[in-house]
Amino acid sequence: MRRRTAGDFVKAFLAFVVLVVLVLGVPFALATQIGWPLPSGAPSLDWLQREISVQTFLNILTVIVWFAWAQFAACVLVEVKAALSGVGVPGRVPGAGPSQLLARQLVAALLLVGATAAGLMPGLAQLGQQHGLEGNQKPAVAAAQQTPGIFAQQEARTGAAASALAEQAAHAAADARGTAEHGDTKYYRIQPPEGRHHDSLWEIAERHLGDGRRYKEIFELNKDRVQPDGSKLSEASLIRPGWIMEMPGDAHGGELVEMPDEAPGVSPQVRQQIDAYARTGDQHQQQRENQGDAGSRASLPEQRPAPATPAPATPAPATPAPDAAGQEQRSFGLPEALLAAPLLAAGLLGALGRRRRQALWQSALGAVGGRRGMEPPTPTGDAQDVQDALLVGADPDGVRMLDRSLRGLAASLAAESRALPVVYAAWLSNGDLHLQLAQPAGKPPAPWRPGQDQTFWTLGRADAERYEDADTAAPYPGLVSLGTMDDSRLLLNLESVPGIVSLSGGEADRAAVFASIAAELATNGWSDRMTITLVGFGDDLTPLAPNRIRHLDGTEALFETMEAETRQRRGALGAAGHDSVLTGRTGPARHTRWAPHLVLLAARPSDEDARRLAELAADAGRLGIGYLVGTDGGELPGAAWEMEITADGRLLAPLLGLELDAQLLPAAQRRAVVELFSAADPGSGPDGGPGNSPPFLVDISEEGRPAVYARLVGPYEIIGLDAPDGERSAQLHEALALLLLHREGVHPRVLASALWPRGVTDDVREALLERLRDWLGTDPDGSPRLRTDATGRLTLARSVVSDLDVLRSLYYEATQGKGTDNRAVRGRLLTDALVLVRGPLLADRPGDRYRWLTHEIVDARLPLLVADTGLALSEFHMEKDRAEKAIEALNAALRTAPADERLWHELLRATHATGDPARLRALAADLVGRGGARGLPPRTEALLDELLPTWREASPAAG
């Protein structure tokens, strides 16, 4: 290694003197000896007619000298900044070729004997940062392990694994360095982007090693070594201009491969940086031999004291171990695995509700004469248990908080013109959200705050609750729950993992983890779009999200698909000028919403296929592609992170410092979930429609008068019961409404979760049920009106009915019962049914209660039932040409179902039948006004063209 000589110190001293004279002495001499050269006032004609004197020439020369000095001073500033930062090449000062060259030589000579740029940068980088930053320079796991009560119990278990990782890393580095025996050590300096082209390790290996797949050798040689700007290489896809890469000995490529002692064309500044970087190699190797590698870990965030009040999220009980028969233990009849997965349950429940609403509308619009009493299918058996578990375990508030927080972060970074940081994982802990970054990314935008070190950004619950919906792309759609550690839930960002994630363990256990991940990715509420490719899955999960999930038969189909997509994404990113998919999710390019593609390969691939997968995954992190691959226990070639699922439901990743209670979706529950979605599909029934189930019907004759009658359609009223005491009245009314809307029965835990979303103890729940039984009383035969069926679900006696039950029964009897053969009976029944409609469901309910209605589809079923009733009564009147009566019935139905297009069509036909063109024109104008800027639906326009050809002329807004 070259030592500094006396000549170096002399050169540095002379360079310092010259810089002081030129930068400080020249302006001082000009200001004191010559003064201000420009006129003190505005030019005049007299001034232009004066004789040119010696002083005039001196003033002109002085101005030129001032300009020359300003240009040289700018050159010095540019060169000093580039020398200290070490990032990129120095910027060019316009018209300053010789001046900038002189400034560069003087600055390089001065820095030659001072601290190198790489040595200066860590200290400079700390300017403006929070106090005590040196303490935060430790790896995330090291800092987390020092947190009392977090990693103390794991330190002994993970010590050996960390040493093993260090040994593996040392061997890998040694293998990579082995190629250096074929020649002298060579270095490469990452080039700044040219247009839309950005340097990458793959391209560097392709140019200088002849094979892009050898990028790993470059990565291992330089991983975690301090770069000139003070940062480190921690991910193969994250490199910066100005960084230096030590190359294998057989690297070639002319002037781009630079050797400190054999590259006369290299500037002294760059040579100085390479010289300093070379010294870090031995230190880095020694450090990795002495301690485990702490990089690329998903460490647990620092805990805060638990809040005094219970968290809004439903407590997540531990997942029990399967018994010998492979069946999960159950608590009060419900599968615990879904109860312990609040985010997964919320996603499945929301997607199921949307599917059922879609089925209702498709059935309604596809039937010529209305739905004729079609009811959504009622699940039974395992499907009913799973649905109840979803209702109890779902945490929609947690999903909403996570989604708004992430989108709010993206919007804040975009407003500051900052890029999204790479996030490896997210932790939900005591209501707070912690993001674990791949590398430090500066100060987070408010209200986010720095976490336990520079790789954590934290958002408190109170700050998260103030976030509103943000009109921005979902920044991290690849986050998915893996399980819980203590009171913290881990979400891994599969999209950003630098390579393959492998999962070993028993086949059934692996399948439960894969199914949980696939189901949550397909239905979660914090992503916009994504593609999930499943390979080697025994069960078809497509019904969960046909637009997101696709199954492939084998690895050949997978390679054909992913090789093409990898090429396409690389080209698209290059054409767009983006470093990674994150660039397209915020800032000026946020309209380019790069959706992730996540591949779940359940069965272990062959060694050859594993190598091909590793090649595909080499650059996948920046392309938005993630790979999760199953293995039966052996080491998977190319795996970046390795995890194991045990038979007792523990997810282990010792090299990442993780031991979680895994989030699972076992086979029986997986089949039940698919059954729920398949039954809700509009095309699942035997005749192409949903599987119909007979509705709950009541006796509508005079002899069937109920003992307790609740009016739910409109303001809530109860007839036949005394008012309960004021303290418990609201809860009892809400519990009764829930039971009335679910005549098939309600699980006690579902009832408790609806009334107490924050959770409640069993004794409080049982006390409420006792009060409800006492309030409802008994029938004349002594049987209680609140009963428990064979499955343990709560049901109401047939003597307790609601106006919704009566409305449904009247419509059913009119269209499929006595009214089908007796016209007079049909008209009376339909008229009586419309009279019951007084407004929307539970119109006067308080805003802080009945939140469980968001999971129901009764808000979609009631308007359809009312619309069907109005259409049937209109048809009844139009058969006798009673257009006014038909219009009256349709208007009554429209007050509850104003968005039903079928009602408006029949109203147009009935109005046309009156023979009053002015009335029809008025109705057409009203429809156009309701359509607003969106205009009228095509079928409505076609009907108007048929009934009133001049409607467009009379309604300018329609154009």
Side-chain angles (χ1 to χ4, degrees):
M1 190 175 299
R2 183 179 182 274
R3 297 182 177 275
R4 301 183 183 92
T5 63
D8 293 333
F9 284 97
V10 172
K11 291 178 183 178
F13 175 75
L14 293 176
F16 174 76
V17 171
V18 172
L19 282 173
V20 170
V21 170
L22 293 178
V23 175
L24 301 179
V26 169
F28 179 78
L30 289 173
T32 57
Q33 301 300 320
I34 298 179
W36 186 247
L38 297 178
S40 57
S44 63
L45 183 61
D46 179 64
W47 182 80
L48 294 175
Q49 293 175 347
R50 291 180 184 176
E51 293 183 3
I52 298 177
S53 63
V54 175
Q55 187 61 37
T56 303
F57 278 109
L58 290 176
N59 289 341
I60 293 173
L61 291 175
T62 303
V63 171
I64 294 174
V65 174
W66 271 110
F67 275 117
W69 171 84
Q71 187 184 58
F72 180 77
C75 293
V76 171
L77 291 176
V78 168
E79 292 298 326
V80 169
K81 178 180 180 297
L84 294 180
S85 67
V87 179
V89 297
R92 292 184 178 180
V93 179
S99 296
Q100 189 162 3
L101 180 60
L102 174 61
R104 183 176 303 163
Q105 293 173 345
L106 292 174
V107 170
L110 179 62
L111 293 179
L112 185 62
V113 296
T116 65
L120 288 173
M121 268 312 296
L124 295 174
Q126 294 173 13
L127 294 178
Q129 299 293 332
Q130 59 186 10
H131 179 68
L133 192 61
E134 303 110 21
N136 288 333
Q137 296 283 348
K138 300 175 183 178
V141 171
Q145 288 176 338
Q146 293 174 1
T147 307
I150 300 296
F151 272 90
Q153 69 275 18
Q154 297 186 34
E155 191 169 358
R157 294 199 303 269
T158 59
S163 300
L165 177 61
E167 183 178 354
Q168 294 172 8
H171 286 317
D175 292 341
R177 291 176 186 274
T179 59
E181 298 175 359
H182 300 288
D184 297 331
T185 305
K186 303 176 183 179
Y187 298 88
Y188 176 81
R189 197 163 187 259
I190 304 299
Q191 299 301 304
E194 296 182 5
R196 293 178 174 176
H197 177 265
H198 294 256
D199 236 346
S200 70
L201 291 187
W202 181 282
E203 293 176 342
I204 295 169
E206 210 166 43
R207 290 198 306 267
H208 304 301
L209 300 177
D211 187 353
R213 290 173 293 184
R214 292 185 63 186
Y215 80 95
K216 300 177 208 176
E217 299 177 27
I218 306 175
F219 177 72
E220 290 297 337
L221 282 171
N222 298 276
K223 181 181 178 183
D224 292 333
R225 292 170 63 178
V226 178
Q227 292 289 337
D229 62 358
S231 56
K232 299 178 181 179
L233 174 66
S234 61
E235 188 175 347
S237 61
L238 298 178
I239 59 176
R240 300 178 185 175
W243 278 9
I244 297 167
M245 296 290 116
E246 181 178 340
M247 301 291 289
D250 60 340
H252 57 275
E255 73 281 355
L256 294 181
V257 179
E258 301 163 348
M259 287 133 322
D261 298 328
E262 304 175 12
V266 180
S267 68
Q269 169 200 336
V270 174
R271 189 178 302 176
Q272 182 93 6
Q273 293 177 0
I274 295 177
D275 192 43
Y277 186 74
R279 292 196 298 272
T280 67
D282 295 335
Q283 300 170 2
H284 175 67
Q285 177 66 15
Q286 183 65 32
Q287 179 182 4
R288 293 182 66 176
E289 291 174 357
N290 293 337
Q291 63 182 17
D293 186 358
S296 297
R297 289 199 180 192
S299 57
L300 189 68
E302 194 172 45
Q303 300 288 317
R304 301 189 312 160
T309 57
T314 305
T319 305
D323 57 25
Q327 298 296 327
E328 300 79 14
Q329 299 177 7
R330 294 167 180 261
S331 174
F332 208 175
L334 298 183
E336 289 287 352
L338 284 173
L339 297 178
L343 303 183
L344 169 62
L348 288 171
L349 199 59
L352 182 61
R354 291 189 295 272
R355 185 70 56 82
R356 287 174 172 172
R357 286 180 173 85
Q358 181 184 13
L360 283 175
W361 281 106
Q362 289 185 7
S363 176
L365 296 177
V368 176
R371 296 183 305 118
R372 298 297 184 227
M374 191 280 288
E375 289 294 320
T378 300
T380 58
D382 287 345
Q384 188 176 20
D385 288 344
V386 162
Q387 178 174 276
D388 288 341
L390 296 178
L391 289 167
V392 174
D395 181 17
D397 290 338
V399 171
R400 192 177 303 110
M401 184 272 286
L402 179 61
D403 181 46
R404 289 180 173 177
S405 300
L406 294 177
R407 292 180 194 267
L409 173 63
S412 299
L413 290 172
E416 299 177 6
S417 298
R418 295 172 60 185
L420 285 167
V422 177
V423 169
Y424 276 159
W427 291 89
L428 291 173
S429 179
N430 293 328
D432 296 344
L433 174 60
H434 309 263
L435 296 183
Q436 187 169 354
L437 313 183
Q439 59 186 10
K443 183 179 179 181
W448 292 77
R449 64 179 187 275
Q452 63 202 49
D453 60 38
Q454 296 180 78
T455 62
F456 274 96
W457 285 2
T458 300
L459 182 68
R461 178 203 302 278
D463 294 323
E465 290 174 349
R466 291 197 291 267
Y467 265 121
E468 300 292 339
D469 293 331
D471 183 20
T472 187
Y476 304 112
L479 286 170
V480 64
S481 303
L482 290 186
T484 58
M485 179 189 293
D486 298 330
D487 294 327
S488 298
R489 180 170 302 277
L490 170 65
L491 290 88
L492 180 66
N493 190 4
L494 285 177
E495 181 188 22
S496 70
V497 175
I500 295 173
V501 179
S502 70
L503 176 67
S504 62
E507 183 177 357
D509 301 318
R510 292 201 318 265
V513 175
F514 272 98
S516 169
I517 290 174
E520 185 170 297
L521 288 172
T523 61
N524 72 53
W526 54 87
S527 64
D528 299 321
R529 298 176 298 116
M530 70 170 57
T531 300
I532 307 162
T533 297
L534 306 180
V535 185
F537 274 66
D539 295 329
D540 185 7
L541 301 181
T542 304
L544 303 186
N547 295 330
R548 287 192 177 187
I549 295 179
R550 66 179 177 185
H551 282 254
L552 295 181
D553 295 334
T555 54
E556 283 306 316
L558 174 65
F559 288 129
E560 181 180 353
T561 300
M562 298 312 301
E563 285 172 355
E565 180 159 349
T566 299
R567 287 194 301 269
Q568 188 273 334
R569 290 202 176 206
R570 279 179 182 158
L573 282 177
H578 296 162
D579 294 326
S580 73
V581 295
L582 292 179
T583 313
R585 293 181 185 157
T586 187
R590 61 181 177 273
H591 61 279
T592 311
R593 301 190 175 189
W594 299 92
H597 187 159
L598 304 175
V599 177
L600 307 184
L601 179 57
R604 175 187 171 87
S606 65
D607 290 345
E608 177 61 28
D609 288 343
R611 283 191 288 272
R612 293 177 66 183
L613 276 176
E615 293 172 12
L616 281 175
D619 199 24
R622 73 182 188 95
L623 301 178
I625 303 175
Y627 294 88
L628 177 63
V629 181
T631 176
D632 52 10
E635 181 179 350
L636 187 69
W641 289 0
E642 297 177 349
M643 299 186 296
E644 176 189 0
I645 179 65
T646 65
D648 61 351
R650 302 285 290 172
L651 188 67
L652 309 178
L655 304 186
L656 302 177
L658 295 176
E659 183 173 345
L660 307 171
D661 291 318
Q663 180 171 294
L664 306 173
L665 187 59
Q669 297 166 32
R670 180 165 65 249
R671 289 190 292 269
V673 167
V674 173
E675 179 184 341
L676 284 174
F677 279 81
S678 298
D681 195 306
S684 64
D687 57 353
N692 295 350
S693 58
F696 174 79
L697 303 177
V698 299
D699 186 355
I700 56 176
S701 66
E702 190 66 27
E703 292 77 17
R705 184 179 297 274
V708 178
Y709 181 66
R711 305 178 74 183
L712 305 179
V713 186
Y716 193 1
E717 299 177 16
I718 297 179
I719 302 170
L721 290 177
D722 294 332
D725 68 66
E727 183 181 356
R728 301 294 180 183
S729 176
Q731 282 185 333
L732 293 175
H733 278 73
E734 187 174 0
L736 179 57
L738 178 61
L739 291 167
L740 285 167
L741 293 175
H742 290 275
R743 302 305 303 227
E744 73 278 7
V746 177
H747 197 286
R749 294 186 69 172
V750 174
L751 179 67
S753 122
L755 299 180
W756 291 283
R758 293 176 179 267
V760 70
T761 58
D762 292 347
D763 55 339
V764 174
R765 179 188 66 213
E766 292 303 324
L768 174 79
L769 293 180
E770 275 305 314
R771 281 190 290 271
L772 185 59
R773 287 190 182 93
D774 293 342
W775 181 44
L776 292 175
T778 59
D779 283 335
D781 61 359
S783 59
R785 291 173 181 152
L786 178 62
R787 305 169 181 178
T788 304
D789 65 11
T791 65
R793 288 173 172 80
L794 302 168
T795 60
L796 292 173
R798 299 188 68 86
S799 60
V800 182
V801 302
S802 70
D803 54 356
L804 184 57
D805 298 328
V806 177
L807 173 61
R808 187 187 300 112
S809 301
L810 288 170
Y811 173 77
Y812 187 86
E813 193 67 29
T815 57
Q816 302 182 48
K818 297 177 181 179
T820 55
D821 299 325
N822 190 318
R823 172 180 167 79
V825 171
R826 182 167 74 254
R828 176 175 57 82
L829 293 174
L830 291 173
T831 302
D832 291 344
L834 273 185
V835 171
L836 294 175
V837 181
R838 301 174 299 126
L841 186 76
L842 299 168
D844 59 350
R845 64 180 182 266
D848 59 340
R849 304 199 70 88
Y850 297 88
R851 298 176 63 184
W852 46 270
L853 280 173
T854 58
H855 299 314
E856 304 283 342
I857 62 168
V858 66
D859 59 339
R861 292 164 57 188
L862 176 59
L864 286 175
L865 178 59
V866 173
D868 288 344
T869 305
L871 290 169
L873 187 55
S874 170
E875 180 185 0
F876 170 81
H877 289 305
M878 290 301 294
E879 289 174 357
K880 295 297 184 180
D881 295 327
R882 294 197 291 262
E884 293 296 341
K885 288 289 187 181
I887 292 173
E888 182 181 344
L890 293 168
N891 283 327
L894 280 168
R895 283 192 286 271
T896 299
D900 198 308
E901 188 180 358
R902 301 171 301 157
L903 291 174
W904 290 105
H905 290 175
E906 293 306 315
L907 185 59
L908 284 170
R909 293 188 178 96
T911 305
H912 180 265
T914 63
D916 187 348
R919 190 172 178 182
L920 184 59
R921 283 194 296 271
L923 178 58
D926 183 33
L927 277 173
V928 171
R930 290 174 181 270
R934 294 175 301 175
L936 295 177
R939 285 185 292 189
T940 304
E941 288 190 354
L943 182 59
L944 278 172
D945 289 336
E946 175 188 345
L947 302 179
L948 187 64
T950 61
W951 72 276
R952 298 179 188 272
E953 301 172 5
S955 304

